[in-house]
Amino acid sequence: MQTKDLLDLANEFGNPLYVYDAEKIEFQYKRLTNAFSKVEKLRINYAMKALSNISVLKLLNNLGSGLDTVSIQEVQLGLHAGFTPDKIIFTPNGVSFEEIEEVAALGVQINIDNLSVLEHFGTKHPKVPVCIRINPHVMAGGNENISVGHIDSKFGISIYQIPHILRIVENTKMHINGIHMHTGSDILDIEVFLYAAEILFDAAKQFKDLDFLDFGSGFKVPYKKDDIETNIEELGKKLTKRFLAFEKEYGRELTLAFEPGKFLVSEAGYFLAKVNVIKQTTSTVFAGIDSGFNHLIRPMFYGSQHAIENISNPKGKERFYTVVGYICETDTFANNRRIAEIHEGDILCFKNAGAYCFSMASNYNSRFKPAEVLWKNGKGHLIREREKFEDLLQNQIMIEI
Ligand SMILES: *Cc1c(COP(=O)(O)O)cnc(C)c1O
């Protein structure tokens, strides 16, 4: 996509606006499948919590992707977008037993990450095959919010509890058909990933009737210049070799599964917002945009550094700005950032706005959620309308006072 295309879309559809480049999603999907092309049975399950628009889901379905879901509502959206139940895996944490049963009844693969749920489910539904999410206790990198493999994490069944898992399986005669791990976002080091994979292989040996091994995700994508990025090609080479050797040892062909979110959609996304005000204070120049953490919470929530470009004046002289939102509390997108000179009315473009951006948006300050556009074949397709006042009133009840 060109800068000019983005500017045209902002004019056509208004601001603030999310734009997703279909070609980039396809590119990333193919990059991943190419890196593992020597694996006979490869399965990519797109982690839809990253970006759950049904047109994006349809695009991924057409590419051959499966779906990783964390709530029954995500499962329902996936089915609505055209995924068949056998292409969906349900990897919840802390949901009710009834929800797990309901999803299993739809024919969706379930992934259990809790011993008591495993025992309960195996007792009640011994014929339904179940995948187990283990916690290998490996810190794959990132900060505390996004590393889910460590010892205090709420995710997964500890690797040290395998004997208990085996006892439950023996007692209930349930069928474990997959082993899963997801060490959290941001794998900085391939060696760490491979180390965790060894733990998964070790665990897998204890189960005789597996169909798949699921290595989760956490692939890192660059957010700014010189950021580290997971070397997918190198990971592909090394893990494929190890996986093929394991298959031999295990004595049967297995499916190798991944469930990337960020890797597939982060870089495909652009968030466009208009500068309402320039405000010079004694210490900085603020650029205040017509959005806030209600639309893009990652900078405030995770400290994420989204690159920002002034697409209205891309060749302008660079100056330092603090980019803030219009929410009535501290709402900073970027501190002291070098950006081409900004005038009121300019359109700023936030990069890496595909993953965990719109899907985490809210109506805080009673603002409308933005529209979403899919850029495909050189054209912008509206895939979500901007909200309207009626949307704010929906479900509210004004009682007699
Ligand atoms: C969120 C999540 C993912 C996707 O993580 P990314 O960092 O976006 O690739 C994969 N698997 C599970 C179980 C998740 O909860």
Side-chain angles (χ1 to χ4, degrees), residues 121-311:
F121 193 89
T123 304
K124 226 173 141 189
H125 309 283
K127 296 222 148 51
V128 177
V130 166
C131 173
I132 292 175
R133 176 175 187 171
I134 59 158
N135 183 343
H137 303 302
V138 172
M139 286 276 273
N143 66 29
E144 271 173 21
N145 293 330
I146 49 181
S147 289
V148 294
H150 58 89
I151 199 93
D152 293 328
S153 162
K154 69 166 187 163
F155 297 99
I157 301 173
S158 168
I159 197 72
Y160 304 112
Q161 290 173 311
I162 294 265
H164 197 169
I165 298 175
L166 291 171
R167 172 153 297 174
I168 290 170
V169 171
E170 197 182 306
N171 288 345
T172 59
K173 303 278 178 279
M174 69 191 300
H175 172 196
I176 303 302
N177 67 340
I179 304 284
H180 167 279
M181 69 168 189
H182 170 63
T183 48
S185 280
D186 289 7
I187 296 170
L188 297 178
D189 187 342
I190 288 181
E191 297 309 319
V192 175
F193 189 89
L194 293 170
Y195 174 76
E198 286 307 322
I199 297 172
L200 191 85
F201 287 131
D202 257 353
K205 280 184 215 153
Q206 320 260 339
F207 300 88
K208 296 294 160 229
D209 213 3
L210 297 179
D211 298 320
F212 66 95
L213 297 184
D214 190 331
F215 292 88
S217 176
F219 305 135
K220 191 165 167 56
V221 296
Y223 272 73
K224 52 183 188 328
K225 229 178 101 204
D226 304 327
D227 255 3
I228 307 166
E229 166 177 22
T230 304
N231 188 336
I232 290 290
E233 289 71 25
E234 192 189 334
L235 181 66
K237 263 199 208 111
K238 290 187 169 163
L239 186 59
T240 297
K241 189 159 167 246
R242 188 60 190 93
F243 183 78
L244 297 181
F246 179 78
E247 270 186 323
K248 274 221 180 80
E249 193 185 328
Y250 191 71
R252 102 187 225 191
E253 206 170 61
L254 295 163
T255 295
L256 169 59
F258 285 112
E259 40 187 43
K262 238 180 213 176
F263 180 80
L264 293 176
V265 298
S266 174
E267 294 164 283
Y270 301 90
F271 181 57
L272 309 177
K274 193 180 78 181
V275 176
N276 281 337
V277 289
I278 296 288
K279 184 178 198 170
Q280 175 95 52
T281 66
T282 49
S283 60
T284 188
V285 182
F286 285 107
I289 62 171
D290 65 346
S291 180
F293 69 61
N294 52 328
H295 296 152
L296 203 174
I297 200 171
R298 293 179 43 80
M300 289 303 289
F301 196 41
Y302 300 117
S304 310
Q305 305 260 327
H306 290 258
I308 303 172
E309 219 175 279
N310 181 1
I311 59 172

Side-chain angles (χ1 to χ4, degrees), residues 21-37 41-47 56-68 83 87 219 221 232-233 256-268:
D21 182 356
E23 228 172 79
K24 180 67 181 174
I25 296 174
E26 288 167 15
F27 178 82
Q28 290 294 91
Y29 185 83
K30 287 184 182 145
R31 225 184 115 192
L32 190 52
T33 49
N34 284 340
F36 288 89
S37 59
K41 293 188 192 165
L42 178 72
R43 174 79 174 267
I44 310 297
N45 293 318
Y46 167 55
V56 173
L57 298 185
K58 194 170 160 190
L59 175 79
L60 280 148
N61 189 20
N62 286 351
L63 288 172
S65 178
L67 213 54
D68 177 62
F83 285 90
K87 298 288 293 281
F219 305 135
V221 296
I232 290 290
E233 289 71 25
L256 169 59
F258 285 112
E259 40 187 43
K262 238 180 213 176
F263 180 80
L264 293 176
V265 298
S266 174
E267 294 164 283

